[in-house]
Every structure is written in C-alpha cells, then in structure tokens.
Amino acid sequence: MSLISQIQEQVLEGIREEYKLELSPNQVVINPTRKDVEGDLTLVVFPFVKMLKKSPQMIGEFIGEMLMNKLDLIDKYDLLGGFLNIHLKDGFWNERLRDIYQNEHFGVHPKTGKKILVEFSSPNTNKPLHLGHIRNILLGWSASKIAEAAGHEVIKTQIINDRGIAVCKSMLAWQKFSDGETPQSSGIKSDHFVGKYYVIFDQKLREEYGNWQDSAKAKEVYQSFKKEGEDIDKFFKRYKNNYFNEYSALGAEATTMLEAWEENDTEVRALWQKMNQWVYDGFESTYVNLGVNFDCLYYESDTYTLGKDIIEEGLSKSIFYKKEDGSVWIDLEDKKLDHKLVLRSNGTSVYMTQDIGTANKRFKDHGVDAMVYVVGDEQDYHFKVLFEILKAMDEPYTEGLYHLSYGMIDLPTGKMKSREGTVVDADDLMAEVIEEARLGAADRGILEELSVEEQNEVFSQIGMGALKYFILKVGPKKRMVFDPKDSVDMQGQTGPYIQNAVVRINSILRKLENWNFDLFQEYSEPLEAEKNLIKHIHQYPDLVLAADAERDPSILASFAYELAKDFHKFYHDVRIIKAESEMAKAYRVVLCTAVKDVLTKAMDLLGIEMPKRM
RNA sequence: GGUCUCGUAGCUCAGCUGGAUAGAGCAGCUCACUUCUAAUGAGCAGGUCUCAGGUUCGAAUCCUGACGGGAUCACCA
C-alpha cells in the first residue's frame, strides 16, 4: 500500500472512532507539500470543517495528534491555515532509499494476469512514414512499455493497410511511367521509391484533370453541379474526386486494377507483392531506427472481408436493421450518436465492418482482456461508434476497449499537407536530429576516446532522445506544434538534459575509487536536497500506474525532467566523491545510483536510451 | 448547422479526481567553469489562466453561455 493511502486509511479510522462518521478515501485529500513550505505531505483540512462542525484548527490538531500516535513514521506536524503539514522521520526516507537501491525491479509492478493488445503505426503501403506516424509510433510503443511495467502482458501489433485504391495508384504509376526503374537501380530507399510513384500518379492525374477542364463536357458539368455563385476554380477543386471516379482515364485504370486485384489477377497480384515488399523493407529500417518492433502483424488484405458474418448475426438479433435497398445499419441514437452504415446495399463491407471483424479475430487469436487503438483524433467518432457496436453485440472484451486518441501535429507554418509537400518525412527527420547531435558533440570534443561505432551510437541516442522526448512530453490528446528548430534543441526541458544527468552520474561512478556501502546506514541526517531526491524517486511506481491508467507517457516525461532537474542542482551544490565524510560519500553514491536507475527506467518506458557518455 | 475537442507568459508546454502566492523550458538581459562532464547551475524580466455568469469556505480546474482555433458528421479508408 502506498504511503498516502496508508495515511488516508488511518485518518478514516480515526474519524470513524472519534466522530462515528464513515468517509471514503477520496475525501481525504493528501498532496506532497509544496516546495516553499516545510514538510513532506499536506492534508487539506477544509473538507472536514462542515462535516464535523469544528474549526479547521481543532480538526487539524486532532488529526495531527492521532497520526502521531498511530503511525510511527511521522516525526511531527504543523498547521498552517487549513493545511496540516506532515513531517516524516528521516529514517523513513533512508529506508526508502535503501529499498529502492536494492530492488532492481523498483517500479515494475507484479503481474496482473491481464493481456493487452496495442495497435499502433498502421501505415498505408503507398508512401513512406512521416512525422504523424512518428507521434503515433512513439505513443504506441511507450504505452506498451508502460503497460508492461504496470504488470500487464502486452502484444504489440499493427494493421498494415496494404490494399485499396491508394495502393493501386502507386502501382499503376510505376507500371506506366517507371521504365522498369527499381529502388536498386535508382538508389532510392525503397519505401520512398514507391512514394515517388504515388506522387507521380497525382501529378499525372492533375495534368489530365487540367486538360479535361477545357472540354465541353467539363463546362456542362460545371453548369449543372455548381453551387450558387461558386466560381469555376473553386468548383473544380471540389469536384476532383468525382472526376476521378467518373471521367478520368487514369482513375478508370486504377479502379480496374483494384478490381483485378480483388479477383486475384496473377499479374496484378505479383506487382502488388513486389511493390509492397519494397515498402516493407523501407519501413523495417525506419522501425529499427526508431527502436520499435511488433509482436504480430495484421494485413488489411486478409481482414478486409471480415465482419460480414457478425453483421448477419447482429441482424438476426435485431441489433442491426436492413433498409429496403439491402444496406444494413445500426441505430445509435440512444447513445447520442446517429445511424451508421455497417454493410453496403451491394453486400460489401465498409471500414466499420472490417473493424468489427478484426476486433473479433484478434480476440479469438490472442484471448486479450483489452485492446488499445492508437489512432489520431480525427477518428474519435469512428471509434465511439465501433465500441458501441461491439457493446451492442455483447462481445466479451468490450470493457477493455480503448481508443488512445492523439492530436494532429502542426508545423509553425500551419498544417502538414501532403498535397502541398509540407509533410515532414520520418527518415529525413531522424537523420537531421542525429546530425545535430553530432555537431553538438563535435563542439565539445568529449567523445574522442570512443570508437567511431560507439560515437555513432551515442549521436543516435542523443538525437533520437531529443526527438522522442520533444514529442512525448506533450500529453497525447493535445494537438501539438512541431518546430524542427526546437525539436533538435538539447538544452532545458529536453531528452539530452535528462540523459546528461545520467551521464554525470556515470562519470562519478567511473571515477569513484572506494566506498563502503555499510557506512550508508550511518548517515542519519540527510540534507533537504537529498531527501528531496528520495521523495521524488519514491513517487515513480505510482506514476507508472498513473501513466498506464491514463495511457499518457507525458506523465513520466515530466517526472524524469523534474528528477533530472533536482539532480543537476544537487550535483552543482554538493560534493559526492569528495564528500565531507565517508558516510556522506556512501550515502550519496547510493542516492546517485538510485537516481540513475530510476531515470533510466522512466526514459526506457518512453523508448529513450541513455548514452554512456555525451 | 449538429456533435466532439482545445484556448494558461512573446513561443512551446506542465498544472492529478477543485486546495496555500498559477509553474517549467525556449527566446531576452545578468552572473558562475584551476572543481565529480557548463548539453549545467544562480538571478532578472515576463500572466486579467480567451470572455461573461454560476456552483462553494475555496475555481486555471466543475456547470452554463459567448467568442476564437481544430476535428468530424460518405454505401471513403
């Protein structure tokens, strides 16, 4: 039981005995004492004033005395206004430090027996990964690591959107315009190579569309479909998708190719496999550089027909209803959502159908207790509907469904738009931050004794640390602005700042010649700065649970920063190797080691590695 | 237009289920390396927490409304 809940219990019991009043733990508000006030924990007395009809002073005295008598770990208390500040005994903190130092599983919670599937990344196979994917991947990875630390078994997965009209666009463009060029022959990274043809398709389509706009047919279309007062340019901008479907030769070819794919045409399938393999090879190196991997994969080409049987089942149970045209719908008005299509009138699936089927398949495959979908917030509505449908179907896993929704990333110049070429490419971005780390290190010339390989490893750890921290420090739900200049920053609240704290500790431990662990026990009056660090570290296991419950890595990002900050200050103010006594030295070595271990663990849950030196 | 979401310092962000004087970083201005790594530390300056009501001992936090961003409302994925 955590310290705070232990005290809460005691307060409840005390009030029960004295006042015959039954309260719940969340009515007893206990916070860490604010920095500028003496004490360790603060109990807010105000809520009791009304309930007990006594003055804050009297209640505070009562609770303070009662806690002093019942709990051995309390040194003293004082009352400031309606706030009861509790001081814990130094011995208490020293014991905590020893526990933390000796427990290599500190912050790793006992197994819960729960199995969680986390889906993230889930790219389309027509273009390379970009900054948006990076946020998704970092969140998914971190949420997975946090869930593991919270004691759950985690299966990391992604659904690869490897089929559909977008994929056919790249394929068709390559077939028509490449002259047989390959990633090997062109020297372009293979996923970028495929992306290039996706862009080419769009260019050719636009050319074709532009020419068509001068035709008589186009004029006719404009006249009959334009909105009141809409000028011709605006109209054609809006009409592009219709053009693609109804008039475009390229559009027709792509659609034909999609149909051929669905009919298992050998040639089309062979092309599809070849180009998708290029994409997968490219993705793989991006994933390796990001330091992530998956336990299992789902492919949309396998799952896109799933779900129809469940729709049938739902129809027979009257969860869905059929319209006259044969299309199938669900009415979610009582859930404050509207009617939603789950099967087209021609009997084919929509996105929702697949997702229903895929959820069931995953449950059958893995028997999971929970499924987490890391998907951008533009799909909030989709997931609300999906989860409601699964609940209506009374699937056994619906309690554990969670949409880890995150906000889009904006650039300082505005939104990322693939059409306008403002999308930040994942590989380019990583190369940039690593290069920046290299330049920073070159200035300082501190890595010279390392081999080239070791140096490269460090550059990559620092650069990626900066990038990952920059993204993960922001709460997932928040739309964030990504300024490339700031993202390579390595000072202040950044990944490298935290890494640097650990590197400084490494340096101390390297230079340390002898010290005696037994003397640690004899250092009985720790400094405020030392107690501060212990208090800080002590919170870590609870924060892992909080980060898991909220599915919010930024909780740990803030924690690591605050701890590193306290350590940097401590390092500046207090001698460690040349401490005033052997006892103090032993104590501080233990403390530094604990700080280093906890920082390393917290950052590991964010997917950030610690360099040996920097 | 309906629904959802966000609005905190010049900029990027913290601020837990309501609690003490709203915090960091960046940018700006000072200062500190013969010391265990200055990718650091200390300081100055920077705020009507978008606005208006309400709930209460107490509101950046909860409720209502307005304003301003964003998302979404396809037999697209």
Side-chain angles (χ1 to χ4, degrees):
Chain A
M1 186 167 33
S2 82
L3 176 61
I4 288 181
S5 34
Q6 202 180 332
I7 296 174
Q8 280 174 330
E9 285 296 321
Q10 192 50 247
V11 172
L12 292 183
E13 198 183 308
I15 288 180
R16 192 184 310 131
E17 278 172 12
E18 183 75 15
Y19 297 99
K20 311 281 174 265
L21 207 63
E22 194 63 49
L23 302 177
S24 68
N26 59 12
Q27 288 173 286
V28 184
V29 180
I30 300 175
N31 299 314
T33 303
R34 28 178 305 157
K35 274 194 167 161
D36 48 349
V37 178
E38 300 243 323
D40 297 310
L41 292 170
T42 297
L43 185 146
V44 186
V45 182
F46 292 113
F48 302 111
V49 173
K50 218 173 207 175
M51 288 182 247
L52 305 181
K53 301 197 175 65
K54 294 259 183 340
S55 72
Q57 194 68 29
M58 284 179 68
I59 298 164
E61 296 280 349
F62 164 71
I63 295 177
E65 284 302 326
M66 187 266 296
L67 289 177
M68 289 273 285
N69 291 334
K70 300 276 178 147
L71 296 177
D72 189 38
L73 46 92
I74 295 175
D75 184 35
K76 56 176 180 166
Y77 70 92
D78 55 58
L79 266 167
L80 242 143
F83 299 92
L84 177 71
N85 296 313
I86 299 168
H87 302 247
L88 301 170
K89 289 181 178 163
D90 287 347
F92 172 79
W93 292 118
N94 289 351
E95 268 174 52
R96 293 289 79 69
L97 175 57
R98 200 190 55 219
D99 290 350
I100 293 164
Y101 178 75
Q102 291 176 337
N103 176 10
E104 63 177 301
H105 298 297
F106 181 68
V108 180
H109 290 81
K111 293 270 173 282
T112 59
K114 271 177 84 180
K115 201 192 264 190
I116 301 181
L117 182 134
V118 181
E119 176 199 290
F120 60 99
S121 189
S122 302
N124 296 319
T125 58
N126 59 340
K127 50 182 189 293
L129 302 175
H130 57 72
L131 179 53
H133 293 110
I134 291 188
R135 188 175 198 192
N136 180 306
I137 291 165
L138 297 181
L139 282 170
W141 179 262
S142 182
S144 303
K145 297 283 280 186
I146 290 167
E148 271 168 9
H152 310 307
E153 184 185 337
V154 174
I155 301 168
K156 304 184 295 291
T157 191
Q158 59 173 332
I159 182 146
I160 298 170
N161 299 298
D162 61 343
R163 48 141 259 131
I165 196 71
V167 175
C168 286
K169 287 179 182 178
S170 300
M171 285 160 61
L172 185 65
W174 185 78
Q175 200 177 53
K176 290 175 81 84
F177 308 117
S178 71
D179 288 326
E181 185 192 33
T182 66
Q184 291 75 25
S185 74
S186 65
I188 302 173
K189 184 167 178 279
S190 54
D191 52 337
H192 291 248
F193 180 86
V194 173
K196 173 180 154 186
Y197 282 93
Y198 185 71
V199 172
I200 289 176
F201 182 92
D202 195 60
Q203 284 166 355
K204 298 284 182 186
L205 176 68
R206 257 192 277 187
E207 249 170 63
E208 190 199 274
Y209 188 34
N211 293 336
W212 178 81
Q213 286 170 20
D214 297 330
S215 71
K217 182 70 195 171
K219 302 281 184 304
E220 193 187 312
V221 165
Y222 169 61
Q223 287 307 329
S224 38
F225 295 110
K226 70 170 179 182
K227 286 183 194 158
E228 188 71 23
E230 189 174 29
D231 72 43
I232 194 154
D233 285 348
K234 249 194 173 144
F235 171 78
F236 280 129
K237 222 173 171 179
R238 172 168 72 80
Y239 195 72
K240 189 176 172 196
N241 220 20
N242 296 61
Y243 169 76
F244 178 84
N245 289 323
E246 289 167 40
Y247 301 101
S248 166
L250 281 169
E253 277 187 87
T255 310
T256 306
M257 189 180 255
L258 180 60
E259 284 161 4
W261 181 90
E262 279 173 4
E263 282 154 21
N264 263 313
D265 180 282
T266 28
E267 223 169 283
V268 170
R269 285 282 175 147
L271 174 63
W272 173 70
Q273 269 176 341
K274 173 161 71 179
M275 292 188 72
N276 271 350
Q277 193 54 52
W278 287 340
V279 172
Y280 300 147
D281 292 343
F283 283 175
E284 183 52 29
S285 88
T286 306
Y287 287 147
V288 167
N289 289 335
L290 277 168
V292 303
N293 54 62
F294 297 88
D295 302 309
C296 70
L297 304 178
Y298 286 89
Y299 293 89
E300 198 203 347
S301 54
D302 295 328
T303 61
Y304 82 109
T305 52
L306 293 179
K308 288 191 202 175
D309 49 337
I310 299 156
I311 305 299
E312 283 305 317
E313 189 191 331
L315 263 176
S316 69
K317 290 184 190 163
S318 302
I319 294 164
F320 305 128
Y321 66 92
K322 198 174 244 180
K323 282 192 180 172
E324 282 170 16
D325 62 7
S327 59
V328 181
W329 297 72
I330 185 165
D331 173 4
L332 291 171
E333 270 177 20
D334 56 332
K335 301 283 190 293
K336 293 201 153 188
L337 304 164
D338 51 18
H339 294 245
K340 191 78 191 173
L341 177 91
V342 291
L343 208 60
R344 292 192 188 105
S345 53
N346 64 9
T348 56
S349 329
V350 288
Y351 191 34
M352 192 63 75
T353 327
Q354 295 180 38
D355 273 1
I356 295 166
T358 306
N360 267 18
K361 178 167 168 52
R362 287 173 175 178
F363 180 69
K364 280 190 201 123
D365 289 350
H366 302 287
V368 290
D369 301 286
M371 297 191 216
V372 177
Y373 296 81
V374 184
V375 180
D377 64 7
E378 77 266 7
Q379 294 198 36
D380 284 355
Y381 182 74
H382 174 80
F383 280 99
K384 268 187 202 164
V385 172
L386 174 64
F387 294 170
E388 286 304 334
I389 292 176
L390 294 171
K391 273 179 205 161
M393 292 295 298
D394 209 20
E395 299 296 345
Y397 51 82
T398 55
E399 276 304 304
L401 290 169
Y402 190 89
H403 174 203
L404 203 179
S405 165
Y406 61 92
M408 295 293 101
I409 293 187
D410 291 320
L411 301 173
T413 47
K415 289 192 211 178
M416 283 203 290
K417 290 230 167 106
S418 53
R419 192 156 301 168
E420 286 156 33
T422 54
V423 174
V424 176
D425 177 76
D427 295 317
D428 293 351
L429 180 61
M430 290 191 285
E432 235 166 85
V433 293
I434 292 169
E435 181 56 22
E436 200 65 30
R438 182 191 309 277
L439 293 174
D443 278 351
R444 311 170 64 248
I446 210 158
L447 298 176
E448 278 142 10
E449 51 189 281
L450 297 183
S451 71
V452 175
E453 293 80 49
E454 286 173 317
Q455 287 187 16
N456 283 336
E457 191 187 4
V458 170
F459 299 147
S460 156
Q461 286 167 329
I462 296 172
M464 292 304 291
L467 176 61
K468 289 180 177 182
Y469 191 88
F470 186 76
I471 290 173
L472 287 175
K473 74 176 179 186
V474 182
K477 291 198 176 59
K478 203 148 182 166
R479 199 179 174 92
M480 69 175 289
V481 176
F482 184 91
D483 189 333
K485 278 205 306 290
D486 294 345
S487 73
V488 296
D489 218 330
M490 306 198 180
Q491 262 124 41
Q493 191 181 2
T494 66
Y497 174 93
I498 299 163
Q499 290 172 325
N500 186 231
V502 169
V503 164
R504 284 176 140 183
I505 295 171
N506 284 339
S507 178
I508 289 170
L509 297 179
R510 237 188 345 259
K511 291 192 175 152
L512 185 69
E513 282 170 356
N514 51 22
W515 68 290
N516 183 348
F517 175 75
D518 296 333
L519 291 176
F520 154 75
Q521 319 275 6
E522 291 171 31
Y523 185 76
S524 55
E525 286 179 28
L527 306 171
E528 271 312 306
E530 289 161 343
K531 274 196 279 183
N532 248 333
L533 285 168
I534 302 169
K535 282 186 215 175
H536 222 121
I537 298 170
H538 173 72
Q539 297 178 312
Y540 175 67
D542 285 341
L543 291 178
V544 170
L545 292 182
D548 182 57
E550 304 286 317
R551 306 224 179 274
D552 181 357
S554 75
I555 293 173
L556 293 176
S558 300
F559 165 79
Y561 170 68
E562 296 291 336
L563 179 55
K565 191 172 143 94
D566 281 357
F567 175 77
H568 278 305
K569 172 139 181 66
F570 172 72
Y571 177 90
H572 181 267
D573 293 344
V574 178
R575 303 296 85 194
I576 296 159
I577 292 180
K578 292 175 192 155
E580 63 276 14
S581 70
E582 284 300 308
M583 297 181 313
K585 180 161 109 180
Y587 191 84
R588 287 172 196 158
V589 170
V590 169
L591 182 56
C592 285
T593 306
V595 169
K596 172 189 158 174
D597 288 348
V598 172
L599 281 179
T600 304
K601 283 179 184 184
M603 292 291 267
D604 178 56
L605 298 189
L606 303 179
I608 298 175
E609 294 176 16
M610 292 299 181
K612 287 194 203 71
R613 304 184 182 205
M614 62 192 291

